[in-house]
Amino acid sequence: MPRKIALITGITGQDGAYLARLLLKKKYIVHGIIRKSSSFNTARIDEIYEDPFKKKKSLILHYGDMTDFSSINSIVSKVKPDEVYNLAAQSHVAVSFKNPEYTTDVNALGALRLLESIYQNNLKKTKFYQASTSELFGNPKYKIQNEKTPFYTKSPYGTSKLFAYWITKNYRESYNMFASNGILFNHESPLRGETFVTKKITKAITKIYKKKQDCLYIGNLNSKRDWGHAKDYVYFQWQILQQKKPMDVVVSTNKQYSVRQFIEECCKHIGWNIKWKGRGLNEVGYILEKRRKKIIIKVSKAYFRPNEVESLRGKSLLAKQKLKLKLKYSFKDIVKEMMDDDLKKIEYE
Ligand code: NAP
Ligand code: G4F
């Protein structure tokens, strides 16, 4: 049996790094697209990196950019992948308000460029996975979201992903392509980017614990998310492309916690009992140190968004049915793994 060939855009990101490991374990030949950067941007895949001069390689990296059709098209035509995982994105919601045009170019037109390249190269058997998102939902009327919940995006990021969702469906329906949307809810891990709220919190709390930082400035403490683990979720990205038919499917834990609860759980992990006082921008979180109040959390306006998805909680019935969705990591497991990892790393800083 010839080895399957996968192409991953965004291989240097959190999900790309876990997915590449999974596919290599499954004996795929994995091609990844990386961006030119003035400093190294491959830290998350250094462990699996292969010498480009090695004869039989399982991991091959190509320079390319989602904003540049010629680079995407030249890679797709050379690699002729069996499976394409489109994970590349300007994935930060708050940043998308500052860079709306660039976010749209990468996330919306990027998906279009990739689909069009598969189509133009006549790769009829290639399967396509689009990294869709729970940010497509935003209407507070729907407390629990599934595949039938109407979309209501609240940011340039969400709206760029809405285009990508629909263009994926358009290519599926127009050209009979195997093109699927995984509507994934938030997923975290020690590899999470440091400006996303979970990693920002675990990193800061371990620093405060080790007396390398005084206090953490945070935004909306009451925002609620359905947090899963990236390692669990990339398995279902792969599963989505192993189905007989393409589909659009929600992957979530069906549970929900607030940013405040995430902070409380991190504190609990190191034996701190955090308490809150004040309201709104004046709210603080404190611990007792030698019977004195030590403020470790302050709220800052700088981290509020012009518009917010206040509450996300997915119901993944379809995934349970079709993909046999079963998750290994609980909310507590995620916090524990991220905190332990940051506590270990801080020793080397
Ligand atoms: P991430 O860590 O931010 O990774 C994004 C990847 O995209 C990185 O490899 C990045 O490269 C690459 N990239 C950014 N702009 C690019 C461009 N112009 N051309 C080529 N590559 C570019 O994101 P993630 O958490 O792994 O998420 C993976 C995908 O799932 C994203 O599309 C995200 O929007 C979506 N998603 C994520 C979640 C979640 O909770 N994590 C939930 C739902 C959907 P650099 O390393 O060079 O920056
Ligand atoms: O960690 P976040 O930045 O993730 P967000 O906005 O939910 O987006 C992530 O999940 C999406 C799936 O739903 C992905 F599509 C997207 O690519 C990304 O991976 O923020 C989570 C919540 C928000 O409500 C935010 O307002 O935390 C709140 N928050 C409060 N203080 C903060 C902060 N977020 C960040 N990044 N930084 C803060 O200081």
Side-chain angles (χ1 to χ4, degrees), residues 113-277:
R113 290 181 184 107
L114 202 43
L115 284 159
E116 184 58 20
S117 172
I118 296 169
Y119 176 62
Q120 283 188 19
N121 282 289
N122 207 19
L123 299 173
K124 293 208 164 78
K125 290 202 171 136
T126 299
K127 295 178 170 183
F128 177 83
Y129 173 87
Q130 170 57 27
S132 281
T133 164
S134 45
E135 277 290 308
L136 297 177
F137 308 116
N139 189 339
K141 206 169 102 185
Y142 302 95
K143 300 265 175 264
I144 297 180
Q145 302 93 25
N146 63 25
E147 294 80 7
K148 296 203 173 94
T149 307
F151 296 140
Y152 189 134
T153 59
K154 295 256 177 125
S155 64
Y157 170 82
T159 305
S160 69
K161 287 286 188 172
L162 185 63
F163 176 91
Y165 172 91
W166 277 108
I167 203 68
T168 299
K169 261 175 110 87
N170 291 163
Y171 273 67
R172 173 163 87 218
E173 290 169 2
S174 310
Y175 307 127
N176 203 21
M177 268 174 70
F178 190 114
S180 291
N181 282 291
I183 308 170
L184 271 50
F185 281 60
N186 296 51
H187 42 281
E188 317 298 312
S189 75
L191 297 187
R192 185 58 144 154
E194 295 186 3
T195 57
F196 295 95
V197 79
T198 55
K199 184 72 177 169
K200 180 174 162 179
I201 293 167
T202 58
K203 196 164 180 214
I205 292 195
T206 53
K207 277 191 160 182
I208 298 168
Y209 181 63
K210 293 283 177 185
K211 307 232 179 294
K212 293 188 176 181
Q213 185 173 326
D214 286 331
C215 166
L216 165 68
Y217 286 88
I218 201 91
N220 185 357
L221 284 166
N222 300 318
S223 173
K224 295 191 186 101
R225 289 291 181 270
D226 176 331
W227 277 299
H229 196 295
K231 199 171 177 187
D232 269 341
Y233 283 25
V234 297
Y235 174 76
F236 294 100
Q237 295 177 346
W238 173 75
Q239 267 295 335
I240 288 170
L241 293 198
Q242 309 316 307
Q243 299 305 300
K244 288 216 174 78
K245 287 188 181 153
M247 61 170 75
D248 305 316
V249 59
V250 159
V251 177
S252 66
T253 71
N254 306 353
K255 294 195 176 81
Q256 183 188 61
Y257 297 89
S258 64
V259 171
R260 183 191 304 280
Q261 285 171 305
F262 192 92
I263 295 175
E264 288 169 354
E265 190 61 33
C266 293
C267 287
K268 214 160 118 191
H269 184 73
I270 47 172
W272 282 351
N273 179 16
I274 187 168
K275 294 201 162 26
W276 304 95
K277 72 171 187 195

Side-chain angles (χ1 to χ4, degrees), residues 1-9 11 16 19-33 48 50-52 54-62 75-76 78-85 126-127 238 241-242:
M1 269 269 279
R3 290 168 73 186
K4 276 196 185 171
I5 300 174
L7 174 64
I8 306 178
T9 73
I11 194 167
L19 181 65
R21 281 170 176 78
L22 175 80
L23 297 182
L24 288 171
K25 238 188 201 168
K26 292 190 178 293
K27 304 288 176 221
Y28 278 63
I29 297 175
V30 176
H31 292 259
I33 299 184
I48 52 172
E50 289 182 23
D51 182 347
K54 193 173 138 186
K55 274 214 175 117
K56 276 197 171 171
K57 291 188 291 290
S58 295
L59 177 69
I60 301 137
L61 300 177
H62 308 260
I75 297 165
V76 168
K78 231 184 279 160
V79 170
K80 297 191 176 37
D82 299 302
E83 296 172 10
V84 175
Y85 295 87
T126 299
K127 295 178 170 183
W238 173 75
L241 293 198
Q242 309 316 307

Side-chain angles (χ1 to χ4, degrees), residues 276-329:
W276 304 95
K277 72 171 187 195
R279 287 174 72 118
L281 291 177
N282 295 319
E283 184 166 8
V284 294
Y286 65 92
I287 52 163
L288 286 179
E289 208 174 58
K290 294 181 190 148
R291 294 212 209 138
R292 287 183 142 194
K293 278 184 188 166
K294 179 178 157 56
I295 293 177
I296 59 165
I297 307 286
K298 286 184 182 165
V299 176
S300 166
K301 217 175 156 186
Y303 297 110
F304 282 77
R305 297 164 183 187
N307 204 357
E308 170 76 292
V309 173
E310 292 282 349
S311 169
L312 287 173
R313 183 174 172 192
K315 189 149 195 168
S316 29
L317 274 183
L318 183 64
K320 279 196 180 128
Q321 209 182 71
K322 299 273 182 198
L323 313 175
K324 310 274 172 270
L325 181 84
K326 224 174 163 192
L327 303 173
K328 293 193 183 122
Y329 290 84

Side-chain angles (χ1 to χ4, degrees), residues 12-15 35 65-66 87 89 91 157 161 184 187:
T12 55
Q14 170 188 251
D15 290 10
R35 302 195 276 177
D65 198 294
M66 296 308 291
L87 308 183
S91 72
Y157 170 82
K161 287 286 188 172
L184 271 50
H187 42 281

